[in-house]
Amino acid sequence: MYLQKQLQAIAVLLSGIFLGILLICCKDDTPTEPQYDFNLVGNWKVNALNWDGSTDSGSYNQRQLDSVGVVWNLNFESDNTAEQITNLSGLTTSQSGTWSNTGNKLMLNLKAPNSNETGTMVYTYTVEDNLLKLNWLSLLGDGTIFDAEFTKQ
């Protein structure tokens, strides 16, 4: 009787292990396909820019951005094409490419001006009504965190 109860306990334990292995082996191993948050579709204009780094931090509101002539517009189309118009690096440039998102990550694949090279920028984002918020880490590796807010035009 004692041996029979032990065998039953072992059988239950093995059944649990087998079920666990079966569930693990049957999981979907395909990578997550890009998603498309169609709340992003439209024209967006920057209205605030903030940064926080180890040696410098600051912010610009819409009035300050306008007074220094900052241009940063994003256009997301429903066919997943994108365009960025900006003068953040000096001259006003237009970059075209594609966009996609996975969860709260927005990926912009844009062609460099006057080049065939494409670069990818990854942002953490939220969309609330007509407000798009982007957050990203500086590409310079200095730990600076940027936040930008855009209004839908």
Side-chain angles (χ1 to χ4, degrees), residues 104 106 133:
N104 67 341
L106 169 64
K133 295 179 182 180

Side-chain angles (χ1 to χ4, degrees), residues 40-144:
L40 288 165
V41 172
N43 294 304
W44 301 88
K45 179 183 176 188
V46 70
N47 67 21
L49 183 60
N50 308 294
W51 65 96
D52 187 18
S54 60
T55 59
D56 189 27
S57 63
S59 64
Y60 285 109
N61 61 31
Q62 181 68 63
R63 187 179 51 76
Q64 293 166 317
L65 291 168
D66 288 344
S67 73
V68 295
V70 169
V71 173
W72 190 9
N73 298 321
L74 297 171
N75 183 30
F76 301 109
E77 297 289 342
S78 60
D79 66 356
N80 306 104
T81 57
E83 180 182 30
Q84 172 177 263
I85 300 171
T86 184
N87 66 355
L88 292 175
S89 297
L91 296 175
T92 302
T93 59
S94 175
Q95 297 169 278
S96 60
T98 60
W99 68 273
S100 64
N101 69 288
T102 302
N104 67 341
K105 300 293 183 197
L106 169 64
M107 283 72 67
L108 275 179
N109 302 301
L110 298 172
K111 191 171 141 185
N114 305 316
S115 171
N116 286 328
E117 293 184 31
T118 300
T120 300
M121 190 68 190
V122 179
Y123 301 97
T124 302
Y125 82 98
T126 59
V127 177
E128 295 175 21
D129 299 321
N130 289 331
L131 187 64
L132 167 63
K133 295 179 182 180
L134 299 180
N135 176 278
W136 70 100
L137 192 59
S138 171
L139 298 176
L140 299 176
D142 62 0
T144 301

Side-chain angles (χ1 to χ4, degrees), residues 10-27:
I10 291 172
V12 169
L13 180 63
L14 289 175
S15 296
I17 292 171
F18 177 75
L19 181 60
I21 291 171
L22 183 63
L23 290 174
I24 290 170
C25 291
C26 292
K27 75 175 185 167

